[in-house]
Amino acid sequence: MRDLIGIEDFSKEEIDELIEISKDIMDNKEKYSEMCKGKILATLFFEPSTRTRLSFESAMLSLGGSILGFSNANSSSTSKGESLADTITVVSGYSDIIAMRHPKEGAPLVASMHSNVPIINAGDGGHNHPTQTLLDLLTISKEKGHIDNLTVGLCGDLKYGRTVHSLVTALSLYSNVKFVFISPEELKMPEYINEILDKKNIEYVETNNLEGSIPELDILYMTRIQRERFTDVEEYERLKDVYILDKKKLDNAKEDLSILHPLPRVNEIAVEVDDDKRRAAYFRQAENGRYMRMAIILKLLDEKNLNYEYKHLNDAIESNNCKCENSMCITSIERGLKQLAVKCNDNKLRCIFCDHEIK
Amino acid sequence: MRDLIGIEDFSKEEIDELIEISKDIMDNKEKYSEMCKGKILATLFFEPSTRTRLSFESAMLSLGGSILGFSNANSSSTSKGESLADTITVVSGYSDIIAMRHPKEGAPLVASMHSNVPIINAGDGGHNHPTQTLLDLLTISKEKGHIDNLTVGLCGDLKYGRTVHSLVTALSLYSNVKFVFISPEELKMPEYINEILDKKNIEYVETNNLEGSIPELDILYMTRIQRERFTDVEEYERLKDVYILDKKKLDNAKEDLSILHPLPRVNEIAVEVDDDKRRAAYFRQAENGRYMRMAIILKLLDEKNLNYEYKHLNDAIESNNCKCENSMCITSIERGLKQLAVKCNDNKLRCIFCDHEIK
Amino acid sequence: MRDLIGIEDFSKEEIDELIEISKDIMDNKEKYSEMCKGKILATLFFEPSTRTRLSFESAMLSLGGSILGFSNANSSSTSKGESLADTITVVSGYSDIIAMRHPKEGAPLVASMHSNVPIINAGDGGHNHPTQTLLDLLTISKEKGHIDNLTVGLCGDLKYGRTVHSLVTALSLYSNVKFVFISPEELKMPEYINEILDKKNIEYVETNNLEGSIPELDILYMTRIQRERFTDVEEYERLKDVYILDKKKLDNAKEDLSILHPLPRVNEIAVEVDDDKRRAAYFRQAENGRYMRMAIILKLLDEKNLNYEYKHLNDAIESNNCKCENSMCITSIERGLKQLAVKCNDNKLRCIFCDHEIK
């Protein structure tokens, strides 16, 4: 069966295919309005995320399907001490496809090991959020007409913001994309991302200067600095407002600069920027999420009977003598879960669930 | 686009039209059962109100449409510090029409300024609740066969109960309606309502005597004295049980008196009164809400492309040097919201969002 | 109208009929996929129970119907002090059938007295949970091909676990069923159940030895020892882990032993047992719930216009001078509810809502 756990589950060809399907849906809504008739999407949100949940639900309803689920963990059996594996096993008997959000990293992978229906990762802590990456790519493609030959600036929390990491990874599949990483020292892009780019000879610069970087950009991807990612509250308070995009900063921006943001925004983008309809693409981006998720649901239901295994699982090894120490990893709470690890290119042993190094 | 923010958004002719459509729906459910096929209603309840939410959802489902949304704010992005404007902008990209409930006065008006789909106000704090008023009128029309030539008693909290205010305003459009305002001194009908009636030469009496007033009434509208409307708890405790309608008080009531109540009731109406099927109309009133909301959804979707602006917006002025001081007004929490005010007949400057006077 | 309050609402013939319909649904899903088109199921969960709620919602959606409701009391009007009777009266005007879960015993019976649509009891505290019993019977029938001539072991909390009680009562309708009651002294099967079996000359043994009992069993029904059922926390802590079923304990079990569990499980069944696909029937059991609930919804909607009264109501007497003292009984919170009692075979006067003795 086919799942969507991380963006790497899809090849560049498949990503381009999803983008084309999304665009076709926008142009021919009627054609798709009954394609999931009789099918049920379960939205299992072990932590609240209204926007993402409503986007998935809107997608399924627009395909003529129906929805059930829960919007936070305390209305789930988890509160009764049930394992994630059991919850998923049961719910996969009530639905045709599952979109899940979970605070622990790797939870969707655990789910996919027990589900009889496709699992879509709607965000697992600070780990993966592949549908966000796919709608970001759709947005770039719609705003610019192409994804290659672009200079892309990413601004804000580049350290903890995993959506940024998978977006960069995905963009690195396209030719002649240049990156400008704009962040304070403390929130710089992690080394392993830079290494990927170095290997592929992809150009990137690191800076803490937003205003100075804007003129050369085709895309500016702003991010929210999220409290929940910080262990040190003071550091959060010091950094949360370092970058605020306002009209003035856009004076020397390209006419056709596209400003993206995963939303919700707090104050990273001044409200006045919303009036710059051409450049302010973040609300169109949110709406694109509905159509990309329709495309994803269709693809996974379509390939439900395909024999496919999460790539890492193939060469995963069971490591009994060592254990993942990442407190945000699903292995830290899930009972009876075997620790699986994989030897990566960097020759480090990494937890297959959260990708953290195992010593 | 057409929204329903306050009852004044609809003319008397439109109100009568909605009542007729509601009645037609009750008589021909089948005829309407697919009219919203493929359409999505978003129920955004920033504070819980099960009855109202389920009534809207039942209405949309009975029209063959589908529903998504949330039932309280902590499962919304508001908890992440997102503005109402952003939430609405995004959700209006996921749905065809929005019914919203919000604790702050004026929130639905703010929403309508950012939404691409019609907004229905399902209650904004103690401010407006137009769908309640419309279903009240439908109930009177069904119970009595007509809305004019009636003596209408309103009992309980006439000061804070805005449903009562908009019901009186709406009834004042019909000819020969007499009012009896029954309340303790502390909860009397506000002056501005009486002034409206005076201007129109509409007869009304104010009293604190429920039993003595009943005999002359065709309609008795009971209300719950709501804790949440009081700043002074002691005053609430003293007043909450002043009026309790029981069988005995109905001894001298007209045979065909109709008793209404917006529900939920706590103890304003003794349970024994429920057995008086003819007079006890409050449960029929609740069911009428389903059909009136079907009519409202149909009308707004129908007039979606009509060019229409919330009446006050036309002559609203931007007042930068003054600010609404009502702590329950949406202006007290919404970031980047311009203070708009309007000069009213009483020559006072009022906040366009909550109608409170601005000094 | 027909409701499902307790398992005794259905005769053996009706139970067998429901089992056959459930099986037919599993084999011919398409045939049933539109049978509830245009119908609305309200799931009113005054306490959370995700599995049960999703199972009902999946059932209704699979019949082509739609759903609305709430998943916990604080998003219901109860929080505003509304009586259950009022909530049900109103919601029954918004839906075609209601499935409700309530922490208080007897709540669904109260609901059925005020509802215009069929009520399904989805669990009332530790009292009844008839749909669980019906899906248990369906599972036994599917796993074994028949329900009679079986040796059934029930293990764990036999004192408070009412699902166990109604399962035993229901199984006692079938011929030649033997029981093995496995529990610690403190959690033994209540006397009144043993008396029922004695009267019918049905064989049963009581033991605290799980491992020793397994070899003779055709069915092993494991239960979770639920904290919420205990007043004494220490007793709970001492007893909660007394029985843990693992692979070793199954060494001498019959090849075709079927292991059931109402779920959620905490650790009563070791995860390793899941691999014993043939014997581990508990996940199939959960999925069966979806189909049995489809059958129940169809039957109740089908017999909606049948004149039927909850059996006990016929010979219930109003007892004004005495009151049920069970703090978990709905009579302890519902305003304006008349205390009804019924004289039982054991000549004791029992509360009709919670079945507790009234002195």
Side-chain angles (χ1 to χ4, degrees), chain A residues 45-63:
Chain A
F45 278 57
F46 293 87
E47 74 181 357
S49 176
T50 315
R51 183 185 324 295
T52 307
R53 180 173 61 83
L54 295 187
S55 171
F56 271 107
E57 295 182 352
S58 177
M60 189 52 160
L61 294 173
S62 305
L63 290 164

Side-chain angles (χ1 to χ4, degrees), chain A residues 99-231:
Chain A
M100 69 179 281
R101 177 97 162 200
H102 200 286
K104 293 294 184 181
E105 304 177 0
L109 179 54
V110 172
S112 71
M113 293 166 161
H114 292 86
S115 175
N116 308 315
V117 304
I119 296 286
I120 302 174
N121 180 1
D124 54 336
H127 189 217
N128 285 322
H129 194 3
T131 61
Q132 179 68 50
T133 307
L134 288 165
L135 74 90
D136 292 341
L137 293 170
L138 169 60
T139 305
I140 293 172
S141 171
K142 273 185 67 73
E143 297 288 320
K144 289 275 165 283
H146 55 91
I147 302 184
D148 45 16
N149 304 310
L150 294 170
T151 301
V152 180
L154 300 108
C155 176
D157 168 10
L158 307 186
K159 182 180 175 189
Y160 301 104
R162 283 292 183 98
T163 45
V164 168
H165 303 165
S166 45
L167 179 57
V168 170
T169 321
L171 283 170
S172 74
L173 300 172
Y174 293 83
S175 58
N176 190 30
V177 175
K178 298 199 193 73
F179 293 101
V180 182
F181 299 148
I182 307 155
S183 77
E185 190 59 30
E186 299 86 338
L187 296 176
K188 278 176 66 177
M189 192 65 80
E191 257 321 297
Y192 84 93
I193 294 285
N194 295 346
E195 282 164 9
I196 293 172
L197 298 179
D198 290 332
K199 275 209 195 62
K200 295 183 164 184
N201 295 313
I202 293 170
E203 198 180 319
Y204 65 90
V205 279
E206 299 187 281
T207 170
N208 56 23
N209 179 349
L210 171 57
E211 197 157 5
S213 313
I214 287 179
E216 58 176 314
L217 303 178
D218 301 302
I219 303 285
L220 172 55
Y221 197 99
M222 297 293 293
T223 65
R224 180 166 59 102
I225 296 183
Q226 298 183 54
R227 178 184 277 98
E228 52 268 44
R229 304 275 170 256
F230 285 79
T231 44

Side-chain angles (χ1 to χ4, degrees), chain A residues 37 40 44 66-70 74-77 80-83 86 89-91 93-96 335-336, chain C residues 34 48-51 53-55 57-58 61-62 67 71-72 101 224 263-266 274 283 286-287 290:
Chain A
K37 193 160 185 294
I40 298 172
L44 308 188
S66 43
I67 52 176
L68 51 73
F70 51 83
N74 39 23
S75 61
S76 89
S77 292
K80 295 178 184 170
E82 182 177 55
S83 69
D86 281 12
T89 307
V90 171
V91 175
Y94 298 158
S95 56
D96 300 287
R335 274 175 289 107
Chain C
E34 302 252 301
S49 177
T50 316
R51 182 187 323 294
R53 180 173 60 84
L54 296 186
S55 172
E57 296 182 352
S58 177
L61 294 174
S62 304
I67 52 176
S71 55
N72 58 63
R101 177 99 163 197
R224 180 166 60 101
L263 302 183
R265 79 172 149 183
V266 181
D274 300 0
F283 290 128
E287 187 167 3
R290 174 185 186 176

